Amino acid sequence: ADFNYGADEYDAEGNEEPKALPEGSETMPYIDESPTMSPQLSARGQESGDSVSPTPTDGLGTGGERDAGKGLEMRKLVLSGFLASEEIYINQLEALLLPMKPLKATATTSQPVLTLQQIETIFYKIQDIYEIHKEFYDSLCPKVQQWDSNVTMGHLFQKLASQLGVYKAFVDNYKIALETAEKCSQSNYQFQKISEELKVKGPKDSKESHTSVTMEALLYKPIDRVTRSTLVLHDLLKHTPADHPDYPLLQDALRISQNFLSSINEDIDPRRTAVTTPKGETRQLVKDGFLVELSEGSRKLRHVFLFTDVLLCAKLKKTAVGKHQQYDCKWYVPLADLVFPSPEESEHCPQVHVIPDHELEDMKMKISAIKSEVQKEKANKGQSRAIERLKKKMFENEFWLLLNSPAIPFRIHNRNGKSYLFLLSSDYERSEWREAIQKLQKKDLQAFVLSSVELQVLTGSCFKLRTVHNIPVTSNKDDDESPGLYGFLHVIVHSAKGFKQSANLYCTLEVDSFGYFVSKAKTRVFRDTTEPQWNEEFEIELEGSQSLRILCYEKCYDKTKLNKDNNEIVDKIMGKGQIQLDPQAVQTKNWHMDVIEMNGIKVEFSMKFTSRDMSLKRTPSKKQTGVFGVKISVVTKRERSKVPYIVRQCIEEVEKRGIEEVGIYRISGVATDIQALKAVFDANNKDILVMLSDMDINAIAGTLKLYFRELPEPLLTDRLYPAFMEGIALSDPAAKENCMMHLLRSLPDPNLITFLFLLEHLKRVAEKEPINKMSLHNLATVFGPTLLRPSEGESKGHLTLASDIWSHDVMAQVQVLLYYLQHPPISFTELKRNTLYFSTDV
């Protein structure tokens, strides 16, 4: 039943605002001025990006970064990204202008669709904005295409900034334009049809010729664009040497843009409201967002509003079509009465029912598969009804994931009795909510009880005031938005300084995937220091990610605080920070060093990104010595063994002391440890065994995975890969069994014996699932692509997105391994003896 809450309010398209905007002066969105696009400021800032993501302005203090060549290259990347989004923007404005001429033509006939006055109001200043940006685009495009070190374009940005007055006029008229369009839609069916489906031309190099967008969504674009231009100016200045002729011009353009944003934000701040607090002060909305509440044993998605003196938890009421939507208050707690119970005080709170990992992984696979189908339908110019059906299914699946994946408890207690429990997927978000509440509690607050009328007025204001409009699922994204990064982000957490006193310190890294943030890596605890030097490298898999967050904690060793609830995080957050993962800036082969400042603490880190198609390539080894990147047959022959020594040793060590380790094979080992083990195995060093016994178990598990990943061809071979894909797709169980066993039999002996050896080990790991949380499915997800992914990517050239190839193939690779993991024990001799009746050669 709760799903309808999502479906009623937010169509699976995600490229529309809610149909009905209520009356009142607060409908105007808040325009974000901050260079890092802080999530709580911008009404749509995070949601409607076209292609350039900003990065924080500070912390780029490395010498190499400042060299002129690198700076120019970065300028070009920033500009070409902006140019691409400018093209999309111009196409959107064009689509908005397209119906204007025919509407004007009918306005003077006996059967007008709209009056001239209505046309003037709805399309006010759009033509002017279009002409300004078209001229800007036409001047900038050739400069970027014929790029060299002497190119100047500061004057173009300065001119663009000087024409912002047109936007002021547009903004002043925006609310009335929306209301007029809404009224005309309700009273005129022809206009309703026009405004529901405006065709926006796709970019020149895109396969899609058009996308359909509502007029309401397009009228929002100019407001969003001002913020985007300001962010690009930040990025350009960062990569322009101070002595470059463009520098003063860009500075001037940035100053004008920022002043402009400040001036219009004063006019349109949506946080004003007529609702007052008991002391007669204006009650303002400080923060709002979607949280999962555990209510009467089941998970419900709530929209939570934090006002100056009260926390209000609401859900959207179901309303008839065309009626204004309203929130229904589930409960509220005055901040004067609100306390956060400590873990030991929360005994009486319900325990969190955690959904098994493999169910969440299954759902992610399903979502990725549907995304692929949507892309294929679009590429083949499929029926829009089929695409709509797929998108609806995707929304339902993403909604389920959003509801069921959070497991970190956020408990709220009302001094007068009742406790409430939210579940979050990110400790970063939990601390943001907690800090926002605690900051307000420092003021002199009074306890109060709202009368039913006051509560009605306050709840009524929520719809107008909210800054988060859409449930955070990817199906709510515009088609022209950046899909995020797919691939592997390598992060080295170097060190931190700025701590006032010695402590036991560690960091965690969070990235967003499938619309919400999850913790992906954790450094070791550096004990009793004010300047921890971790220097640990992590490889983080990105699934459509746009941001990286770093949290710095002080480790808690106090036994009384360590709660039975294993999802409770009792360690104290010392600082936290976030940066955008800008596709242009990150996708370089070199490490990019950066600093995040948080609460006076500076954490130094480096990162580089490998896109999925790059990271999927197996590169044949040039060397015949060592074991990594060398054919398995060469290694076993050299060692006179049936299974490579590295495989035997790593498995033996994991079974000896890692089989009960939570997340074994899923949690990344420290990359520097893995590289050290790799070097020792390659050199066949006599200290291998000593080193193995001392090494962190996740590094040993990571070394084993790396060995299989770096084989010049997959363990299950390139030759048989298409047949494995066909075999796993068979529906008849007997045919599938026959085919899958025949394929194993067709493997070279070293490959087969090693595979069976690994298979039995993984089954033993899964037997400990209650302790290590690694099911057969989890293990198949980790090892499937590693053992099956073909070495050549040519066969996949026709598919557009790396994420498409990935999701479709990976699902099948996981299923192949899962099939063998769930199969009764397979013996090498039985397999070889039993040739069955399967004679067709593969």
Side-chain angles (χ1 to χ4, degrees):
D2 234 53
F3 163 68
N4 292 333
Y5 158 61
D8 286 357
E9 163 58 352
Y10 308 103
D11 66 335
E13 278 285 317
N15 57 7
E16 296 181 34
E17 290 278 78
K19 296 283 182 289
L21 272 163
E23 310 296 324
S25 63
E26 289 80 26
T27 52
M28 193 55 225
Y30 183 75
I31 298 189
D32 185 9
E33 304 163 55
S34 60
T36 49
M37 263 172 138
S38 92
Q40 65 268 42
L41 270 185
S42 166
R44 292 268 304 225
Q46 297 290 78
E47 296 161 20
S48 38
D50 291 337
S51 75
V52 181
S53 306
T55 47
T57 47
D58 41 52
L60 281 159
T62 52
E65 177 69 22
R66 287 279 170 243
D67 84 61
K70 178 79 189 297
L72 286 167
E73 189 52 38
M74 285 304 296
R75 267 159 61 90
K76 188 186 175 187
L77 286 173
V78 170
L79 282 169
S80 45
F82 183 57
L83 208 55
S85 72
E86 189 74 2
E87 184 193 346
I88 291 168
Y89 180 48
I90 289 167
N91 290 347
Q92 289 165 340
L93 293 172
E94 243 171 20
L96 206 46
L97 288 169
L98 204 61
M100 193 168 82
K101 283 199 183 96
L103 284 171
K104 273 187 174 168
T106 64
T108 49
T109 64
S110 57
Q111 287 185 308
V113 179
L114 302 182
T115 66
L116 280 170
Q117 180 59 49
Q118 287 167 331
I119 294 167
E120 180 57 32
T121 305
I122 294 170
F123 297 97
Y124 186 65
K125 294 293 178 192
I126 300 286
Q127 182 71 43
D128 296 358
I129 291 174
Y130 170 77
E131 283 165 10
I132 289 168
H133 281 270
K134 186 81 177 78
E135 185 192 344
F136 172 76
Y137 178 85
D138 291 344
S139 311
L140 184 60
C141 197
K143 287 180 177 289
V144 175
Q145 282 168 350
Q146 289 140 30
W147 185 257
D148 67 39
S149 56
N150 303 319
V151 164
T152 58
M153 43 65 208
H155 58 290
L156 298 178
F157 279 93
Q158 193 182 32
K159 185 176 177 186
L160 187 66
S162 69
Q163 293 167 311
L164 280 171
V166 178
Y167 276 91
K168 175 83 172 110
F170 175 84
V171 166
D172 291 343
N173 181 69
Y174 173 76
K175 184 178 143 275
I176 207 145
L178 271 190
E179 282 172 5
T180 309
E182 177 72 21
K183 281 178 191 149
C184 294
S185 277
Q186 285 169 358
S187 59
N188 187 305
Y189 179 69
Q190 261 180 296
F191 182 67
Q192 188 187 350
K193 291 303 289 174
I194 293 168
S195 63
E196 274 178 2
E197 274 205 22
L198 291 170
K199 295 274 183 279
V200 178
K201 214 162 52 184
K204 285 198 279 283
D205 52 357
S206 150
K207 288 219 172 115
E208 285 179 46
S209 56
H210 287 86
T211 49
S212 294
V213 187
T214 65
M215 182 173 288
E216 192 179 348
L218 287 179
L219 281 171
Y220 186 84
K221 297 295 178 187
I223 287 170
D224 195 41
R225 196 70 199 161
V226 188
T227 314
R228 175 51 52 87
S229 308
T230 312
L231 292 167
V232 167
L233 285 167
H234 270 283
D235 284 349
L236 278 175
L237 266 173
K238 195 163 71 179
H239 298 294
T240 302
D243 56 358
H244 193 284
D246 273 346
Y247 195 83
L249 300 174
L250 291 171
Q251 253 183 335
D252 193 44
L254 181 60
R255 181 184 53 76
I256 298 168
S257 303
Q258 282 177 324
N259 290 343
F260 172 73
L261 280 184
S262 303
S263 71
I264 60 174
N265 273 341
E266 281 164 23
D267 300 344
I268 59 166
D269 187 345
R271 291 145 204 245
R272 287 175 318 198
T273 159
V275 184
T276 55
T277 66
K279 296 167 101 178
E281 294 162 356
T282 305
R283 179 176 282 136
Q284 294 184 317
L285 177 66
V286 177
K287 180 176 172 64
D288 69 303
F290 290 98
L291 295 180
V292 173
E293 185 188 11
L294 198 62
S295 169
E296 294 163 6
S298 66
R299 292 165 177 254
K300 313 275 187 192
L301 190 67
R302 303 289 192 218
H303 201 147
V304 181
F305 294 86
L306 175 61
F307 289 94
T308 324
D309 64 341
V310 63
L311 185 76
L312 184 140
C313 176
K315 68 167 273 190
L316 266 174
K317 281 196 223 175
K318 295 191 179 74
T319 48
V321 179
K323 286 272 176 68
H324 289 328
Q325 296 202 279
Q326 282 295 330
Y327 281 99
D328 186 12
C329 173
K330 302 307 288 180
W331 51 263
Y332 70 90
V333 181
L335 298 190
D337 293 329
L338 187 151
V339 285
F340 300 112
S342 63
E344 61 272 20
E345 289 166 354
S346 53
E347 296 293 309
H348 57 283
C349 283
Q351 284 301 298
V352 181
H353 168 62
V354 179
I355 305 289
D357 269 355
H358 68 87
E359 286 184 33
L360 298 173
E361 290 301 327
D362 272 350
M363 187 54 84
K364 288 179 184 176
M365 288 291 186
K366 273 187 199 162
I367 292 165
S368 298
I370 296 170
K371 276 186 187 165
S372 284
E373 284 181 58
V374 170
Q375 294 295 341
K376 277 183 201 142
E377 283 286 339
K378 283 182 176 173
N380 301 334
K381 302 282 185 288
Q383 289 185 336
S384 59
R385 195 172 296 167
I387 293 174
E388 283 314 306
R389 229 183 0 259
L390 286 169
K391 283 193 170 181
K392 186 168 185 287
K393 187 78 193 144
M394 183 156 96
F395 179 88
E396 287 168 16
N397 289 345
E398 289 198 310
F399 189 88
W400 182 92
L401 196 60
L402 187 73
L403 210 54
N404 289 292
S405 52
I408 299 171
F410 177 42
R411 303 174 196 279
I412 297 234
H413 181 66
N414 185 335
R415 279 198 181 92
N416 303 323
K418 194 135 197 270
S419 286
Y420 305 96
L421 172 59
F422 291 112
L423 298 174
L424 282 74
S425 58
S426 148
D427 198 25
Y428 191 100
E429 270 151 47
R430 181 171 74 160
S431 94
E432 277 189 327
W433 278 99
R434 192 177 277 161
E435 284 166 18
I437 291 168
Q438 286 169 336
K439 189 174 173 187
L440 293 169
Q441 286 180 325
K442 284 183 182 148
K443 296 173 184 157
D444 177 23
L445 295 170
Q446 289 181 3
F448 56 86
V449 175
L450 293 173
S451 68
S452 58
V453 175
E454 282 179 308
L455 184 58
Q456 212 175 341
V457 173
L458 184 61
T459 311
S461 72
C462 287
F463 192 90
K464 291 186 280 188
L465 299 176
R466 62 193 185 152
T467 62
V468 181
H469 292 78
N470 287 337
I471 296 174
V473 291
T474 54
S475 36
N476 271 340
K477 279 187 175 181
D478 278 1
D479 286 346
D480 61 1
E481 265 187 86
S482 160
L485 294 168
Y486 287 84
F488 295 92
L489 186 69
H490 300 264
V491 181
I492 301 174
V493 182
H494 296 295
S495 59
K497 50 177 175 280
F499 296 97
K500 304 278 185 290
Q501 56 202 61
S502 285
N504 304 312
L505 303 162
Y506 69 92
C507 283
T508 63
L509 306 177
E510 290 184 355
V511 294
D512 52 325
S513 63
F514 295 93
Y516 59 91
F517 279 85
V518 280
S519 184
K520 286 282 197 174
K522 180 177 174 180
T523 67
R524 65 185 187 280
V525 179
F526 213 96
R527 299 190 74 146
D528 201 20
T529 180
T530 55
E531 293 203 359
Q533 300 280 333
W534 294 288
N535 291 318
E536 288 183 66
E537 184 185 331
F538 301 94
E539 179 183 84
I540 296 172
E541 190 177 343
L542 302 183
E543 297 165 294
S545 309
Q546 293 180 315
S547 303
L548 167 73
R549 291 170 168 177
I550 297 186
L551 294 95
C552 192
Y553 290 89
E554 179 180 357
K555 181 78 181 156
C556 166
Y557 291 108
D558 180 348
K559 288 282 191 291
T560 59
K561 287 190 181 162
L562 298 176
N563 195 26
K564 289 194 284 289
D565 180 351
N566 62 3
N567 283 301
E568 189 68 66
I569 299 168
V570 294
D571 299 337
K572 181 181 167 195
I573 295 182
M574 304 298 285
K576 62 187 193 309
Q578 164 172 317
I579 59 159
Q580 298 289 116
L581 296 173
D582 178 347
Q584 272 104 4
V586 182
Q587 277 174 307
T588 56
K589 289 197 174 69
N590 307 325
W591 287 96
H592 164 80
M593 195 159 175
D594 216 330
V595 174
I596 282 190
E597 292 206 36
M598 36 171 108
N599 282 1
I601 297 162
K602 289 184 178 181
V603 175
E604 212 172 80
F605 66 100
S606 298
M607 58 182 179
K608 68 175 178 182
F609 171 72
T610 318
S611 65
R612 197 155 253 168
D613 41 357
M614 287 306 294
S615 63
L616 292 185
K617 284 186 180 144
R618 291 180 188 268
T619 43
S621 173
K622 301 278 186 286
K623 60 188 177 62
Q624 284 304 302
T625 58
V627 291
F628 280 82
V630 178
K631 281 185 180 172
I632 195 163
S633 54
V634 172
V635 172
T636 48
K637 195 170 174 185
R638 188 200 310 139
E639 292 178 354
R640 296 196 181 86
S641 62
K642 290 184 174 176
V643 174
Y645 178 69
I646 181 171
V647 177
R648 294 196 313 266
Q649 286 311 125
C650 290
I651 284 177
E652 189 180 312
E653 202 61 38
V654 168
E655 294 200 355
K656 198 188 299 175
R657 60 190 177 91
I659 205 150
E660 294 190 349
E661 181 82 11
V662 174
I664 188 73
Y665 289 121
R666 186 173 56 79
I667 289 183
S668 318
V670 176
T672 38
D673 290 351
I674 295 172
Q675 290 306 319
L677 280 171
K678 176 182 176 179
V680 177
F681 275 111
D682 267 344
N684 195 13
N685 191 311
K686 57 182 184 303
D687 299 331
I688 289 176
L689 294 178
V690 178
M691 199 164 166
L692 278 176
S693 59
D694 288 344
M695 193 60 84
D696 172 58
I697 200 66
N698 288 318
I700 293 169
T703 305
L704 182 66
K705 287 190 296 182
L706 185 69
Y707 169 71
F708 285 120
R709 200 157 78 202
E710 289 198 354
L711 282 174
E713 79 159 352
L715 188 65
L716 299 187
T717 72
D718 283 330
R719 184 177 69 88
L720 295 177
Y721 181 74
F724 276 113
M725 294 298 101
E726 284 165 22
I728 199 64
L730 294 171
S731 321
D732 175 53
K736 185 184 276 190
E737 161 83 5
N738 206 352
C739 174
M740 298 301 274
M741 289 306 124
H742 172 72
L743 288 171
L744 283 189
R745 204 174 298 116
S746 312
L747 284 169
D749 281 1
N751 299 55
L752 174 57
I753 297 168
T754 303
F755 178 65
L756 296 178
F757 187 75
L758 177 66
L759 208 56
E760 290 313 305
H761 164 64
L762 295 179
K763 287 181 184 180
R764 287 191 290 275
V765 171
E767 282 167 13
K768 299 282 185 186
E769 185 194 352
I771 305 166
N772 64 26
K773 306 282 189 277
M774 291 301 287
S775 60
L776 288 175
H777 191 286
N778 281 353
L779 292 162
T781 306
V782 171
F783 275 96
T786 304
L787 300 178
L788 276 130
R789 190 188 69 241
S791 50
E792 283 308 314
E794 280 81 17
S795 58
K796 312 205 181 99
H798 62 281
L799 272 165
T800 47
L801 287 176
S803 52
D804 292 359
I805 303 166
W806 171 254
S807 57
H808 191 263
D809 281 16
V810 164
M811 283 185 71
Q813 292 160 11
V814 169
Q815 290 306 317
V816 169
L817 182 53
L818 190 58
Y819 180 85
Y820 292 123
L821 283 169
Q822 290 170 338
H823 196 280
I826 306 164
S827 114
F828 177 76
T829 44
E830 282 291 305
L831 200 60
K832 286 294 188 184
R833 194 181 318 133
N834 179 8
T835 52
L836 285 167
Y837 46 84
F838 196 109
S839 57
T840 321
D841 194 19
V842 182

